[in-house]
Amino acid sequence: GILQLQQTFQSSSASQYFVSVTASDDGTSCLPARSACPRFSTSTIITINVTAVNKRSPQFLNQKCGSTVSFYESNAIGANITTLTVFDDDRGEDGQIAISFPSEQSRTTVSDLRNTAYSQFYIQQLPQTGTTRTAVLRTNISFDYDAPGATRVWYLIVLATDNGTPQRQSFCSLRINLLDLNDNPPVFIMTSWNYTIYRSAFGNSNNARFLRIIAS
């Protein structure tokens, strides 16, 4: 005998089934010597385990991917830059989500230089709730917009990976902008200003210019 499916499994179907199968004879082996023959049958239980297929990749929600996120230089270390939420409705391990930066080997530029942006930020994963998991992008250092040679724009890739077989993955690209604060007062280029003028040099002119004062 061949055991066949009558219909496809739904996502809410049970993961294990027990099927009783019976094999019976028809008792004709003693005919025609006897008018009545004994009949025998044997039953067995077949256990069927249904394994889910990892059909869906994790999906980033809230249209954050491809967007620009900005923060001020005054943010403390560990400040929340943005929040990312990922959805995966596969069952079991197929729906378990991990949110992370690319591996060290993948953090290179076109010129084969290491992208140091990832060392300045980190991802804090929150516990998964049902089919969604949230992660917070935070700063790993303090920033000074006015520092010489300071980086003010970063491009980051965030990965969402499930734990299924085969493993599926999605990525999200973000542009991060550092914003300036008015945190430096004007400074005169000289600490002391003394200049002598003579009345006769300008006469009665009201608009005479005699000294340039410079501040930065």
Side-chain angles (χ1 to χ4, degrees):
I2 298 175
L3 190 62
Q4 293 180 311
L5 284 176
Q6 283 189 324
Q7 60 186 24
T8 58
F9 288 104
Q10 304 300 316
S11 60
S12 59
S13 300
S15 59
Q16 192 173 65
Y17 294 85
F18 302 94
V19 179
S20 177
V21 178
T22 301
S24 304
D25 62 29
D26 58 5
T28 59
S29 60
C30 63
L31 296 178
R34 296 181 181 181
S35 58
C37 299
R39 301 181 62 181
F40 297 96
S41 64
T42 301
S43 296
T44 187
I45 300 295
I46 299 176
T47 301
I48 302 172
N49 295 310
V50 181
T51 302
V53 176
N54 191 17
K55 296 180 291 186
R56 299 176 182 85
S57 298
Q59 300 176 18
F60 285 91
L61 303 179
N62 303 328
Q63 298 181 340
K64 288 286 184 70
C65 300
S67 65
T68 298
V69 179
S70 301
F71 71 99
Y72 283 100
E73 60 176 325
S74 60
N75 282 3
I77 296 176
N80 183 340
I81 301 302
T82 189
T83 300
L84 297 171
T85 302
V86 180
F87 168 81
D88 192 334
D89 63 352
D90 283 316
R91 299 175 61 195
E93 290 297 312
D94 295 343
Q96 294 301 305
I97 305 165
I99 305 171
S100 63
F101 285 140
S103 63
E104 288 287 341
Q105 293 79 7
S106 302
R107 300 180 191 179
T108 55
T109 64
V110 177
S111 305
D112 290 332
L113 299 176
R114 186 175 182 275
N115 188 343
T116 59
Y118 293 98
S119 64
Q120 300 175 34
F121 302 90
Y122 70 94
I123 292 176
Q124 178 192 9
Q125 296 187 93
L126 304 182
Q128 183 163 335
T129 304
T131 56
T132 59
R133 186 165 196 178
T134 298
V136 182
L137 179 65
R138 298 186 181 275
T139 56
N140 213 22
I141 62 173
S142 59
F143 297 89
D144 183 0
Y145 187 95
D146 303 303
T151 302
R152 297 166 185 147
V153 178
W154 300 267
Y155 295 91
L156 300 177
I157 298 294
V158 179
L159 301 179
T161 308
D162 64 26
N163 201 32
T165 303
Q167 195 173 59
R168 295 185 179 274
Q169 189 177 75
S170 298
F171 74 91
C172 180
S173 61
L174 295 173
R175 172 184 166 129
I176 312 296
N177 281 357
L178 180 65
L179 301 180
D180 189 22
L181 281 176
N182 188 21
D183 53 355
N184 294 297
V187 177
F188 287 106
I189 64 170
M190 295 176 59
T191 58
S192 177
W193 298 80
N194 295 285
Y195 193 77
T196 302
I197 62 173
Y198 295 93
R199 186 187 305 273
S200 59
F202 298 99
N204 294 323
S205 174
N206 293 327
N207 297 317
R209 299 180 180 182
F210 60 88
L211 178 63
R212 182 186 296 271
I213 303 174
I214 302 175
S216 64

